[in-house]
């Protein structure tokens, strides 16, 4: 359908995005701009723990560890300082307490993973009955938080690199992953997608869940994700729709009725609709193949995949081989 | 992309507005909604490329580390192991069974010509299809088992009776009576086929103690880190530690408590139970008839129900509930007296036969007008075949209803009697246990498919939710029956009889009761 859109219109649509945010690259949590996520606000609270407006629900964070400056690129946390590890272990407890504040996220995780599993199995022609279908694939989790998605990916056999711009998250994730041999191989780095692009890193699959709505420049971010994906590789992105229902649940309910989040946490205008996402990804040489919505059943307390993409949704696309062009491309 | 999407886009573009939120992009393919692989597929065997990788895993795996430790190698514990071993997603898991029972060494079919053991189970069609799914049913078929297609239930007041027939619900049989040791043996043989060598899997010893990861189990503690704990120790602190009576220690990601109603595992985990003891004991034994019995019989006496279940050839199994004093007397009396007592209880003892009465006449008239009488409505009351001898020792055991508050906790799941004990009056206990085994194995497979930690509480809670409702409902129904018959009071007797008549004549209700007892439906009345 995209090829039906007149080039001039597409041009204007796409430039209207980049114009709003001249700086390319990942821009992780702005202060006070914690995630507009209906039921996943805690995830955001923690991953944007740098924000003074939204203290994490965990015990007060320890004094800032000596972190190599983010601009300095990667700080691979392989050699852990025992005293720091101990401090972060206490916070990891909150991240990984499946009955704790992150419970909604833990509940949603299997649903996200079943989408990723089935799309990647088909994309890479892997045996869906295998217990480790992602074996042999290099996968990156961009914006990994405490590693809630990275660990299952590693158990499914993938060679996982996981990055987050918040150093504390990386430490929590590293400590937790080390306690299980099947996840100890995950390479956690405190860095940004943009920096990895500069290092010419590439992955078979690039996964970035619940991140794009927080970046200043979605197009630049998607271009980074695209650059990290090998040609014909897979990209998976999930986010929240800019719909009336999302407004009602993520902003009105979460901030004003339930007081789960400080008022003003969500910026309505930063949310991305599925149509926008498809166009942005198209511009970044990724052609979207599938989309699905997540719906929450409060009675059963379970999430499931559905056609309803009006609130939470996930998209999977293929990195195109040809060079990106503004001209509409014929694609399958 | 679809034309619908294209038109949505052109609409929004023509309005000159950027991206109203309303339009939808439909998924192109929806294969991600794939149901998890079913057991049948698994049994068919899916050739997988993972075998190679699994071997590599085994090499680096430490011998004292398991993925799943099943405590108790009874019918339900073995069923869990068997179900896990045949599903493609779970067959790579390292499973251990801890049980010192020497019966687990058996590797051959049990002879059909011996005396049937008195411990038998009445398994429902639902359980039979589970056994077929996991490939164990063909082994049961090679050993002694007895299908029955008819069932007669009546009460001692002589006012009511009902006969169930499999053809009322369009089935060939209502259930099958199988000795427990045959069920265990079939599961072991099936496990042997899948695993090659199950000696490695079975730990012929007892569990001495069990320690679950502490609260801060998810990550190394500060002491652990600062004391230079190795990565091996840190990851073991995240596992359940099992000390065995032979001096070995095992570490496991998940412990399955399948160790019966007095579950040691449940007590160690500090999980409380609710329940009460019935003021009754059950006596079980095997009796012989002069002809073959092909019907299951159950009569409600004021002291409790007595059941006569066909077990093949001319043998039947007796399950007779009575007061503890009576049970002692019946246990110690001479075999001749016991046989006499059984025949008495199944015939004229304690009250007359149900007979056609005015009530029947009106009932029949009423329901034939409605035109919904079940096929077996017209079937007459029959007297069960006489026992001619008791050929096994008589065993007595107390009855109780017990329900565990939780079926799961971090790295723990309870199955079968460890989670729930019900009144044995309809032989439902073990069927609920097999239901647990099937559900737990499926949840573990679901977890593996999405890369979950199999001891994760969020995952295990799904098993609890699946099973609790089914088990509580059945326990309540059976408890209600027990209570209903523990009172001998005129008006209540008439009501009970009316209920029997209702069950006999109201066809849909009868069908539902049969389906529920066969493990098909969720609830006998509202389906």
């Amino acid at each position: 359908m995209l090829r039906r859109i007149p080039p001039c219109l597409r041009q204007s649509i796409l430039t209207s995005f980049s114009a709003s945010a001249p700086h390319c690259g990942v821009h992780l949590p702005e202060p006070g701009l914690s995630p507009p996520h209906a039921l996943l606000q805690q995830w955001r609270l923690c991953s944007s723990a740098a924000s003074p407006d939204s203290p994490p629900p965990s015990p007060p964070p320890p004094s800032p560890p000596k972190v190599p400056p983010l601009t300095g690129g990667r700080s691979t946390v392989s050699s852990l300082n025992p005293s720091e590890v101990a401090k972060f272990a206490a916070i990891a407890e909150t991240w990984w307490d499946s009955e704790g504040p992150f419970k909604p996220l833990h509940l949603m995780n299997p649903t996200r993973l079943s989408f990723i599993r089935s799309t990647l199995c088909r994309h890479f022609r892997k045996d869906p009955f295998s217990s480790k279908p992602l074996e042999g694939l290099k996968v990156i989790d961009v914006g990994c938080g405490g590693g809630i998605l990275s660990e299952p990916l590693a158990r499914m056999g993938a060679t996982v690199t996981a990055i987050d711009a918040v150093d504390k998250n990386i430490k929590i994730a590293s400590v937790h992953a080390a306690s299980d041999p099947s996840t100890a191989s995950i390479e956690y780095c405190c860095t940004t997608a943009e920096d990895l692009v500069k290092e010419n890193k590439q992955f078979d699959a690039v996964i970035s869940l619940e991140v794009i709505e927080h970046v200043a420049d979605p197009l630049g971010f998607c271009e980074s994700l695209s650059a990290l994906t090998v040609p014909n590789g897979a990209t998976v992105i999930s986010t929240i729709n800019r719909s009336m229902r999302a407004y009602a649940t993520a902003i009105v309910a979460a901030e004003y009725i339930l007081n789960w989040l400080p008022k003003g946490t969500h910026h309505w205008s930063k949310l991305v609709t599925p149509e926008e996402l498809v166009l942005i990804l198209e511009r970044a040489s990724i052609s979207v193949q599938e989309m699905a919505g997540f719906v929450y059943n409060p009675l059963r307390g379970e999430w499931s995949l559905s056609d309803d993409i009006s609130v939470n949704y996930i998209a999977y696309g293929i990195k195109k081989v040809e060079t990106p062009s503004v001209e509409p491309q014929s694609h399958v | 992309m679809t034309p619908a999407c294209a038109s949505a886009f052109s609409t929004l573009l023509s309005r000159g507005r950027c991206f109203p939120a309303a339009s939808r992009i439909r998924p192109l393919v929806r294969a991600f909604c794939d149901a998890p692989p079913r057991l049948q597929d698994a049994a068919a065997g899916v050739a997988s490329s993972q075998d190679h990788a699994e071997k590599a895993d085994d090499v680096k795996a430490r011998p004292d580390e398991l993925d799943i430790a099943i405590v108790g190698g009874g019918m339900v514990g073995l069923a869990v192991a068997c179900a896990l071993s045949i599903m493609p997603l779970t067959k790579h898991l390292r499973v251990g069974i801890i049980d010192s029972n020497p019966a687990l060494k058996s590797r051959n079919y049990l002879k059909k010509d011996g005396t049937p053991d008195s411990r038998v189970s009445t398994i429902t069609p639902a359980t039979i299809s589970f056994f077929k799914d996991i490939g164990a049913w063909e082994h049961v078929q090679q050993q002694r088992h007895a299908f029955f297609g008819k069932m007669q239930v009546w009460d001692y007041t002589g006012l009511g009776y009902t006969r169930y027939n499999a053809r009322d619900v369009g089935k060939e049989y209502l259930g099958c009576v199988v000795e427990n040791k045959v069920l265990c043996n079939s599961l072991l043989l099936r496990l042997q086929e899948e695993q090659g060598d199950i000696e490695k899997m079975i730990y012929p010893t007892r569990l001495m103690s069990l320690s679950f990861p502490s609260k801060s189990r998810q990550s190394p503690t500060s002491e652990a880190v600062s004391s230079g704990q190795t990565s091996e120790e840190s990851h073991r602190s995240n596992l359940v530690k099992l000390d065995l009576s032979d001096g070995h220690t095992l570490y496991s990601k998940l412990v399955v408590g399948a160790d019966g109603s007095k579950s040691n595992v449940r007590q160690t985990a500090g999980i409380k139970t609710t329940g009460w003891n019935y003021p009754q004991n059950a006596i079980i034994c095997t009796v012989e008839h002069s002809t073959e019995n092909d019907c299951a019989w159950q009569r409600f006496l004021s002291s409790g129900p007595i059941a006569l279940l066909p077990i093949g050839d001319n043998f039947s199994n007796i399950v007779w509930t009575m007061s503890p004093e009576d049970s002692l007397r019946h246990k110690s009396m001479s075999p001749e007296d016991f046989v006499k007592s059984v025949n008495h209880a199944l015939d004229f003892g304690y009250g007359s036969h149900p007979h056609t009465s005015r009530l029947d006449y009106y009932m029949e008239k009423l329901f034939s007008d409605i035109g919904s009488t079940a096929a077996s409505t017209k079937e007459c009351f029959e007297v069960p075949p006489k026992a001619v001898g008791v050929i096994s020792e008589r065993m007595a055991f107390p009855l109780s209803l017990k329900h565990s508050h939780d079926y799961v906790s971090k790295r723990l799941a309870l199955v079968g009697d460890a989670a729930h004990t019900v009144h044995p009056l309809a032989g439902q206990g073990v069927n609920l246990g097999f239901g647990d085994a099937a559900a737990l194995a499926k949840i573990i497979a679901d977890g593996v498919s999405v890369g979950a930690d199999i001891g994760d509480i969020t995952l295990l809670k799904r098993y609890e939710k699946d099973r609790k409702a089914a088990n509580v409902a059945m326990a309540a129904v059976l408890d209600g029956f027990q209570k209903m018959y523990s009172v001998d009071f005129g008006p209540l007797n008439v009501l009970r009889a009316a209920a029997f008549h209702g069950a006999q004549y109201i066809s849909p209700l009868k069908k539902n009761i049969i389906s529920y007892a066969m493990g098909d439906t969720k609830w006998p009345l509202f389906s």
Side-chain angles (χ1 to χ4, degrees):
Chain A
M1 90 194 142
L2 290 171
R3 71 194 110 159
R4 296 290 96 192
I5 301 168
C8 53
L9 270 174
R10 277 189 68 201
Q11 176 73 61
S12 66
I13 291 160
L14 294 171
T15 47
S16 71
F17 272 101
S18 27
S20 68
H23 305 291
C24 282
V26 192
H27 181 284
L28 272 163
E30 295 168 25
L33 205 140
S34 277
H37 215 296
L39 283 138
L40 302 182
Q41 54 320 101
Q42 288 95 345
W43 159 291
R44 286 306 150 207
L45 277 177
C46 205
S47 64
S48 63
S51 152
D53 295 352
S54 53
S58 48
S63 55
K66 287 168 197 146
V67 190
L70 288 184
T71 47
R74 331 169 50 182
S75 62
T76 310
V77 200
S78 53
S79 56
L80 299 164
N81 173 343
S83 65
E84 276 190 16
V85 165
K87 286 184 222 160
F88 287 112
I91 306 167
E93 200 50 39
T94 316
W95 250 110
W96 282 94
D97 180 0
S98 49
E99 291 292 302
F102 291 102
K103 187 177 177 183
L105 185 60
H106 284 276
L107 287 177
M108 189 187 199
N109 211 30
T111 315
R112 312 194 299 184
L113 280 154
S114 68
F115 178 88
I116 293 169
R117 177 193 174 94
S118 71
T119 49
L120 294 189
C121 276
R122 261 176 296 123
H123 183 100
F124 295 104
R125 298 180 195 284
K126 297 286 187 178
D127 175 14
F129 293 105
S130 165
S131 60
K132 292 187 173 176
L134 306 185
E135 202 133 46
L137 295 180
K138 282 177 68 184
V139 176
I140 183 166
D141 178 7
V142 177
C144 62
I148 285 179
L149 184 82
S150 317
E151 289 194 11
L153 290 173
R155 286 198 195 91
M156 283 153 76
T159 305
V160 179
T161 302
I163 62 170
D164 200 293
V166 180
D167 184 60
K168 195 179 73 178
N169 287 344
I170 290 297
K171 296 210 177 218
I172 291 166
S174 308
V175 170
H176 190 269
S179 69
D180 183 348
S182 58
T183 56
S185 62
I186 300 172
E187 192 190 348
Y188 282 107
C189 297
C190 180
T191 183
T192 61
E194 177 188 30
D195 284 332
L196 284 187
V197 172
K198 285 181 196 153
E199 294 178 35
N200 293 320
K201 297 275 184 192
Q202 286 210 309
F203 301 87
D204 298 309
V206 175
I207 302 174
S208 182
L209 304 190
E210 317 300 330
V211 175
I212 192 169
E213 66 270 30
H214 309 294
V215 303
D217 172 17
L219 176 61
F221 178 67
C222 288
E223 281 171 344
S224 295
L225 295 184
S226 174
L228 288 173
T229 315
V230 297
N232 289 318
T235 310
V236 179
I237 290 179
S238 78
T239 183
I240 184 169
N241 199 343
R242 195 174 67 246
S243 67
M244 289 318 290
R245 271 184 54 200
Y247 181 79
T249 51
I251 299 184
V252 176
E255 293 180 23
Y256 291 87
I257 299 174
L258 299 169
N259 287 325
W260 284 347
L261 289 173
K263 293 179 179 61
T265 302
H266 296 134
H267 283 221
W268 169 254
S269 61
K270 302 220 68 163
L271 301 181
V272 181
T273 66
E275 299 78 16
E276 291 163 353
L277 185 66
V278 168
L279 287 182
I280 295 167
L281 287 172
E282 184 70 17
R283 167 111 174 161
S285 303
I286 293 167
S287 82
V288 172
Q289 305 294 303
E290 287 178 26
M291 262 197 199
F294 296 120
V295 291
Y296 182 71
N297 180 340
L299 293 178
R300 290 188 58 81
E302 285 171 5
W303 288 86
S304 55
L305 287 168
S306 94
D307 285 352
D308 178 4
I309 53 176
S310 64
V311 183
N312 301 90
Y313 67 97
I314 188 164
Y316 139 75
I318 297 178
K319 165 77 172 288
K320 289 184 280 188
V321 184
E322 67 265 51
T323 49
S325 162
V326 179
E327 292 300 311
Q329 300 291 318
S330 287
H331 59 272
V332 185
Chain B
M1 298 226 172
T2 62
C5 291
S7 68
F9 266 82
S10 54
T11 312
L12 71 91
L13 291 171
S14 64
R15 281 185 203 149
R17 293 166 52 202
C18 278
F19 312 124
S23 63
R24 303 259 197 289
I25 294 177
R26 292 288 163 187
L28 301 182
V29 189
R30 236 165 285 128
F32 53 80
C33 293
D34 278 353
R38 299 194 43 193
L39 292 171
Q40 293 92 300
D41 303 335
V46 180
S48 65
S49 57
Q50 84 219 35
D51 290 1
H52 211 73
E54 281 160 16
K55 294 217 174 71
D57 274 0
D58 286 343
V59 174
K60 73 178 177 196
R62 299 174 192 86
D64 59 346
E65 268 175 33
L66 297 172
D67 290 308
I68 300 172
I70 299 171
V71 181
M75 293 181 279
V76 178
L78 288 173
V80 174
C82 215
L84 290 171
S85 74
I86 54 102
M87 288 190 285
L89 285 169
T90 54
K91 64 183 181 188
H92 69 288
L93 296 173
R94 293 185 304 271
V95 177
I97 300 167
I98 299 159
D99 197 321
S100 55
N101 187 348
L104 293 179
K105 297 202 192 312
S106 161
R107 301 289 180 271
N108 294 306
Y109 287 136
L110 301 169
K111 290 204 174 67
K112 277 187 173 181
D113 50 6
T115 309
D117 195 75
S118 49
R119 272 163 293 205
V120 302
S121 295
T122 311
I123 59 173
T124 59
T127 297
I128 292 170
S129 74
F130 169 62
F131 266 65
K132 285 179 177 163
D133 287 347
I134 62 177
W137 187 247
E138 54 188 272
H139 296 307
V140 175
Q141 284 178 311
Q142 299 296 320
Q143 302 172 73
R144 190 196 333 258
H145 64 285
F147 284 105
F148 61 93
K150 289 184 289 182
M151 187 172 173
Q152 176 175 296
V153 184
W154 71 108
D155 79 354
Y156 67 98
T157 59
L159 290 174
Y161 77 95
T162 188
R163 285 180 68 85
Y164 298 115
N165 199 315
R167 64 171 190 264
D168 292 348
V169 285
K171 298 276 169 75
E172 286 173 31
Y173 54 85
L174 289 170
C176 187
V177 183
V178 191
E179 291 156 79
N180 292 357
K181 63 181 187 184
V182 167
L183 293 172
C184 281
N185 200 40
S186 304
L187 292 165
L188 272 174
L189 291 167
R190 178 67 187 131
L191 211 46
Q192 167 110 326
E193 284 173 358
E194 279 303 314
Q195 299 285 321
D197 179 19
I198 59 172
E199 304 300 336
K200 280 189 296 187
M201 198 175 176
I202 294 173
Y203 296 81
T205 178
R206 282 178 304 114
L207 180 70
M208 297 301 285
S209 70
L210 192 63
S211 45
F212 290 92
S214 61
K215 260 294 178 196
S216 56
R217 63 214 158 208
Q218 283 292 353
S219 43
T221 59
S222 50
E223 306 87 69
V225 172
S226 53
S227 65
Q229 195 184 35
T230 65
S231 65
E232 184 182 330
E233 285 163 337
S234 89
H235 108 251
R236 282 191 168 176
S237 70
N238 197 22
L239 302 176
V240 187
K241 182 170 173 245
L242 302 100
D243 293 311
L244 307 180
S245 61
D246 64 359
H248 285 91
T249 298
L250 294 173
Y251 294 87
S252 183
K253 285 183 187 161
L254 173 65
V255 169
V256 175
D259 48 349
S261 59
K262 289 177 184 154
S263 174
N264 194 6
V265 171
R266 184 187 65 223
Q267 288 167 25
T268 312
I271 296 176
K272 300 269 186 300
T273 58
T274 307
W276 45 84
N277 294 324
Y278 294 108
Q280 289 173 329
N281 278 5
I283 277 209
I284 58 170
C285 63
T286 309
V287 296
E288 197 173 5
H289 307 288
S290 47
T291 56
E292 188 164 351
N293 174 18
D294 62 346
C295 176
W297 311 85
Q298 183 153 356
R299 187 181 189 207
F300 286 93
L301 306 174
S302 57
S303 56
I306 177 169
L308 184 75
L309 304 166
I311 179 66
D313 301 329
N314 292 349
F315 301 114
S316 285
N317 184 264
I318 296 275
V319 183
W320 190 356
T321 37
M322 56 181 83
S323 71
E325 304 80 55
D326 281 351
S327 76
L328 285 177
R329 200 160 53 77
H330 279 86
K331 200 173 173 231
S332 53
M333 66 173 57
S334 73
E336 294 74 32
D337 287 346
F338 182 75
V339 167
K340 208 180 281 176
S341 183
V342 164
N343 288 333
H344 185 64
L346 285 167
D347 198 344
F348 277 105
Y350 311 98
S352 58
H353 290 170
H355 46 81
T356 309
S357 64
R358 199 161 289 247
L359 184 62
D360 282 298
Y361 174 76
Y362 288 115
M363 278 286 208
E364 198 144 344
K365 194 165 161 40
L366 177 65
F367 289 106
S368 63
D369 288 348
I370 297 169
S372 64
T373 43
S376 49
T377 301
K378 304 282 193 300
E379 284 183 26
C380 297
F381 173 81
E382 283 180 35
V383 179
K386 293 272 177 284
V388 295
V390 52
I391 55 162
S392 73
E393 66 165 319
R394 282 155 272 167
M395 288 184 283
F397 53 90
L399 301 181
S400 62
L401 180 147
K402 200 179 272 179
H403 194 260
S404 182
H405 290 188
D406 299 301
Y407 291 7
V408 300
S409 68
K410 177 79 188 167
R411 304 209 174 276
L412 170 71
L414 300 175
V415 290
D417 283 356
H420 45 77
T421 317
V422 297
H423 195 284
L425 69 79
Q428 292 298 331
V430 77
N431 293 300
L432 295 177
F434 287 128
D436 292 349
L440 180 61
K442 186 187 168 296
I443 292 290
I444 291 172
D446 286 353
V448 169
S449 83
V450 295
D453 175 351
I454 55 170
D456 182 53
I457 184 83
T458 317
L459 183 69
L460 297 175
K461 280 278 178 197
R462 285 170 51 203
Y463 155 71
E464 179 181 86
K465 195 160 69 177
D466 273 10
R467 292 306 299 164
K468 227 177 195 174
N471 293 335
V472 169
M474 183 61 86
V477 167
L478 297 180
D479 189 56
F481 261 106
Q482 194 278 330
K483 294 240 182 330
M484 198 162 86
Y485 277 93
S486 58
V487 184
D488 184 9
F489 174 60
L492 187 66
N493 292 352
V494 174
L495 275 179
R496 281 201 303 257
F500 261 120
H501 279 282
Q504 173 76 340
Y505 290 104
I506 304 171
S507 185
L509 174 64
K510 185 165 166 176
K511 276 184 190 162
N512 282 342
I513 291 174
I514 300 175
S515 298
Y516 186 58
M518 287 169 79
D520 287 350
T521 342
K522 293 254 183 239
W523 191 249
L525 298 176
F526 315 103
S527 51

